[in-house]
Amino acid sequence: MRHITAISDLSVQEIDALIMKARDIMANPGRYQEACRHKKLATLFYEPSTRTRLSFEAAMYELGGQVLGFSQAEASSAAKGESVADTIRTISCYADLIAMRHHKEGAPTVAAHYATVPVINAGDGGHNHPTQTLTDLLTIQMEKGRLGNMTVGLCGDLKFGRTVHSLIEAMCRYPGVRFVLISPEELKVPSYVKIPLKQGQVPYEQTTDLQSVMPRLDILYMTRVQRERFFNEDDYIRLKDSYILTPAKLELAKPDLSVMHPLPRVNEIALAIDQDPRATYFKQTLYGKYIRMALILMLLEVQA
Ligand code: NCD
């Protein structure tokens, strides 16, 4: 039995296989529509979500399986004071697979300890978000035809943005990747996230200035300032509009740049960018469903 609490739970070879499987599902959806018949996925979401929860659920339905769960902590016995451990022991009796989002860093690791079915981390606090990273890797592969040899700019809230942490951990394993980390001083990538960059001697630079680095980027990964992780609303208000991608700024970019964003967007990408062929974020959302289908098949050990 496998759990996915961090992207490093998957080898590069396994990620490649998931990407291939997702592409096969996209090309031949009919072949998979009964693959998870009589299997159940539980989605336990203690924090808000649109894409992650609904793409997991759509993924399971498209595999012929069924879904149960809750979309807010208040609707579960957590509101009565139940621990994650006890909830997970319970859900393990009802479902074959669990996808869990929680505001506390490490909660899915605790869940994995007590579960008797596989647990997938669907986002834990400001820490990790491995299935968003699988989504991002499939998107980059589809857009660029490769996962290495590129300059990846990550912009916005790099401190609390869990998608960024997992994406760095994943992409530093591919050859020829260079990172440009663009954030306000207060929202820089935490030092523990930089450890694999340093160990792998992966080139990276940190800057506060998006415009000056724009011409060099192959990927620009924009992020939302994570309001819910701030201790102080005044700090959020001061930092929330640090970066707004506008058509004028995009004029400085390569013609084949891909602008990505895990979404939800607040203000950091002007609506006019949506018409630009370099805007990739809505395609990214669709890819999220297919890579989650591939992951469900893998964890349930379904041969399809
Ligand atoms: C992200 C998340 O939840 O971390 N969203 C997502 O899963 N697509 C990014 C965010 O909330 O800003």
Side-chain angles (χ1 to χ4, degrees):
M1 188 179 60
R2 297 276 304 267
H3 304 289
I4 306 297
T5 56
I7 195 68
S8 53
D9 291 332
L10 293 164
S11 67
V12 171
Q13 290 74 16
E14 286 174 318
I15 291 173
D16 287 348
L18 286 171
I19 289 174
M20 286 215 345
K21 180 60 85 179
R23 296 179 70 162
D24 192 59
I25 297 168
M26 284 190 255
N28 307 290
R31 199 183 290 164
Y32 295 90
Q33 63 195 9
E34 298 290 328
C36 288
R37 209 169 151 75
H38 305 306
K39 299 281 186 192
K40 281 172 279 174
L41 166 71
T43 54
L44 313 185
F45 277 61
Y46 294 80
E47 266 199 340
S49 169
T50 298
R51 274 147 291 269
T52 304
R53 185 174 65 85
L54 296 181
S55 68
F56 260 117
E57 298 193 355
M60 195 55 173
Y61 285 126
E62 289 194 24
L63 292 167
Q66 288 161 313
V67 175
L68 64 163
F70 51 83
S71 58
Q72 43 187 357
E74 298 73 42
S76 78
S77 284
K80 301 179 186 171
E82 187 171 57
S83 66
V84 165
D86 287 359
T87 301
I88 288 296
R89 283 188 178 110
T90 306
I91 308 295
S92 292
C93 305
Y94 306 148
D96 303 290
L97 180 64
I98 295 171
M100 178 197 201
R101 168 170 290 187
H102 203 282
H103 47 275
K104 279 206 183 129
E105 289 81 4
T109 306
V110 173
H113 185 76
Y114 290 97
T116 54
V117 299
V119 173
I120 303 169
N121 177 3
D124 62 326
H127 186 216
N128 276 337
H129 195 345
T131 65
Q132 180 63 45
T133 296
L134 291 174
T135 302
D136 300 340
L137 296 176
L138 173 60
T139 306
I140 294 169
Q141 179 66 48
M142 296 299 289
E143 289 295 300
K144 297 280 174 223
R146 64 183 193 280
L147 285 167
N149 299 316
M150 62 181 72
T151 301
V152 180
L154 300 155
C155 178
D157 185 348
L158 309 189
K159 178 178 181 187
F160 296 119
R162 56 194 174 195
T163 65
V164 166
H165 303 165
S166 294
L167 187 57
I168 290 175
E169 192 175 14
M171 285 210 80
C172 71
R173 296 193 282 177
Y174 294 90
V177 172
R178 298 164 295 275
F179 290 101
V180 184
L181 309 174
I182 309 145
S183 73
E185 279 299 321
E186 293 99 318
L187 298 179
K188 279 160 79 171
V189 173
S191 47
Y192 80 88
V193 176
K194 282 189 277 191
I195 291 171
L197 300 180
K198 289 184 179 142
Q199 282 172 346
Q201 304 196 329
V202 180
Y204 73 93
E205 63 191 276
Q206 301 190 96
T207 177
T208 56
D209 182 12
L210 173 60
Q211 262 143 289
S212 68
V213 298
M214 188 73 101
R216 290 192 275 130
L217 305 180
D218 299 302
I219 301 282
L220 173 58
Y221 193 96
M222 295 296 294
T223 62
R224 167 180 78 90
V225 176
Q226 306 277 300
R227 178 181 203 161
E228 64 275 35
R229 315 264 177 248
F230 278 71
F231 296 112
N232 176 336
E233 180 77 2
D234 291 343
D235 286 342
Y236 169 71
I237 290 167
R238 183 167 50 81
L239 293 166
K240 70 184 173 69
D241 291 330
S242 299
Y243 301 98
I244 300 177
L245 184 62
T246 58
K249 287 182 196 153
L250 206 52
E251 269 179 30
L252 304 166
K254 288 185 183 177
D256 65 344
L257 172 78
S258 294
V259 180
M260 296 175 62
H261 193 311
L263 303 178
R265 149 175 67 185
V266 182
N267 218 12
E268 55 283 347
I269 301 181
L271 297 183
I273 304 285
D274 297 358
Q275 318 313 324
D276 193 293
R278 290 168 286 190
T280 310
Y281 29 94
F282 291 115
K283 278 192 256 178
Q284 195 179 343
T285 299
L286 177 63
Y287 292 138
K289 180 181 71 178
Y290 292 111
I291 201 79
R292 290 184 174 103
M293 288 171 81
L295 184 66
I296 291 169
L297 291 172
M298 181 186 143
L299 293 177
L300 292 179
E301 297 177 358
V302 175
Q303 306 298 332

